[in-house]
Amino acid sequence: MHDEYVALADRLERGGMVAGDPPAATTEVVRRAIDDVDSLLAKGGPTSAVDRVHTTLHGHLRYLCDEAGIEYDRDDSTTALLKKIRREHSALQNLGTRADDITKILNASASILDALNPVRNKASVAHPNKDLLGRDEAQLVVNAGRTLLTYLDAKLNAE
């Protein structure tokens, strides 16, 4: 029962947030952005962390492209980078059982990334925006970003 209580306490401390374990390998900038997310979540809640989640994803997707030798333009968006990784990374060519459904989920993740850009720019503290995301919506954004980051880390480091 001890393990169950520890897991319950961890879940309560996160306040509904997906665990944010850092990728096994990434850049120093991404590690700093992840630390910022954790700090902002502890202090100000998820609305303050939306911008840093975007930075984490953008930086890590670039890192993954660099590591796999996938060419990209410096101005490529997170959406474009994810599509290139999905198309060209060897670890994402065999998605196992229900591959078509997993492909749909990955494509939907690209749509989420596409929506994250204007949310970050127009409803987060990345800029002096008047109208900010509510706590629940910001939590959704942070959790979606963390979920994608965790999946990519697990899948691409399993090779």
Side-chain angles (χ1 to χ4, degrees), residues 20-38 52-64 149 153:
D21 294 331
T26 194
T27 66
E28 182 58 29
V29 170
V30 171
R31 288 186 199 289
R32 289 179 68 179
I34 290 169
D35 289 344
D36 288 349
V37 169
D38 292 338
R52 306 315 297 154
V53 167
H54 179 274
T55 299
T56 297
L57 287 165
H58 205 174
H60 192 61
L61 291 169
R62 284 182 179 179
Y63 169 81
L64 293 174
L149 192 68
D153 188 51

Side-chain angles (χ1 to χ4, degrees), residues 106-123:
L106 286 171
N107 290 340
S109 295
S111 294
I112 289 169
L113 289 179
D114 191 45
L116 181 59
N117 290 322
V119 165
R120 174 197 173 264
N121 290 331
K122 298 188 184 298

Side-chain angles (χ1 to χ4, degrees), residues 85-99:
I85 291 167
R86 171 63 190 100
R87 194 173 46 244
E88 299 178 38
H89 201 290
S90 61
L92 293 175
Q93 300 314 302
N94 179 3
L95 299 176
T97 303
R98 307 297 308 172

Side-chain angles (χ1 to χ4, degrees), residues 23-24 60 91-92 147-159:
H60 192 61
L92 293 175
T147 297
L148 181 59
L149 192 68
T150 300
Y151 171 76
L152 290 172
D153 188 51
K155 188 69 176 176
L156 276 52
N157 286 311
E159 285 193 322

